[in-house]
Amino acid sequence: MSDERFEFSRRLQQAMSAAGYEPRPAILFRLFNARYTGRSVSFQSASRWLGGRSLPEQDKLQVLAELFGVTPQALRFGDAPRVAETHGEWNALGAHERSVINSFLALPVRQRELVGELVKALAQTERKSAR
């Protein structure tokens, strides 16, 4: 097993766990095929990804990243700077805002989706009251 494939499998397992899923091939197989719009992958493919025996193609990597709330680059290559950090916007935030954002990013995907819906609803209410 190459280091590259092993490291990818480790990051995939971590992403699944962080999103609240047990990193097992049967779970990955079911989740992936429910979201992927192309030809479904086999159980063996999911097992090879998690076992460090193969790497997914780019379109499949994108779906995996979306499923588990990480960037495709971080899933494939490891930690990468956040977009805000690369543009200097992260440093413009106060410590409290950075703490809130980091806490949000640590949530499982389903909880982040709920928080996102709440923020959207609050923003809509605020825009309506500002009129």
Side-chain angles (χ1 to χ4, degrees):
M1 162 179 6
S2 78
D3 288 341
E4 183 179 12
R5 291 183 298 220
F6 172 76
E7 290 300 319
F8 169 78
S9 71
R10 186 182 55 77
R11 288 187 294 271
L12 179 57
Q13 291 171 25
Q14 289 173 339
M16 287 183 73
S17 294
Y21 297 103
E22 189 176 347
R24 293 185 16 228
I27 293 171
L28 180 59
F29 168 75
R30 180 180 48 81
L31 290 170
F32 181 85
N33 285 324
R35 175 77 63 92
Y36 187 58
T37 58
R39 185 172 172 216
S40 62
V41 300
S42 67
F43 173 87
Q44 289 79 12
S45 291
S47 179
R48 285 191 295 267
W49 296 341
L50 282 172
R53 292 183 305 279
S54 70
L55 295 169
E57 296 169 355
Q58 185 62 33
D59 62 329
K60 293 172 180 68
L61 180 68
Q62 181 70 36
V63 172
L64 290 169
E66 289 172 7
L67 272 171
F68 305 120
V70 297
T71 66
Q73 295 82 5
L75 185 58
R76 176 66 175 83
F77 299 109
D79 290 328
R82 290 185 175 90
V83 172
E85 291 174 336
T86 61
H87 291 97
E89 297 165 9
W90 182 252
N91 294 327
L93 297 174
H96 176 71
E97 288 85 2
R98 285 193 300 265
S99 174
V100 169
I101 291 168
N102 282 329
S103 296
F104 170 78
L105 293 172
L107 293 172
V109 172
R110 290 182 296 254
Q111 290 179 359
R112 285 196 306 245
E113 289 171 354
L114 289 172
V115 171
E117 292 301 317
L118 174 63
V119 170
K120 288 177 190 174
L122 290 171
Q124 287 175 348
T125 302
E126 182 63 27
R127 281 193 297 270
K128 287 179 184 176
S129 67
R131 290 181 189 168

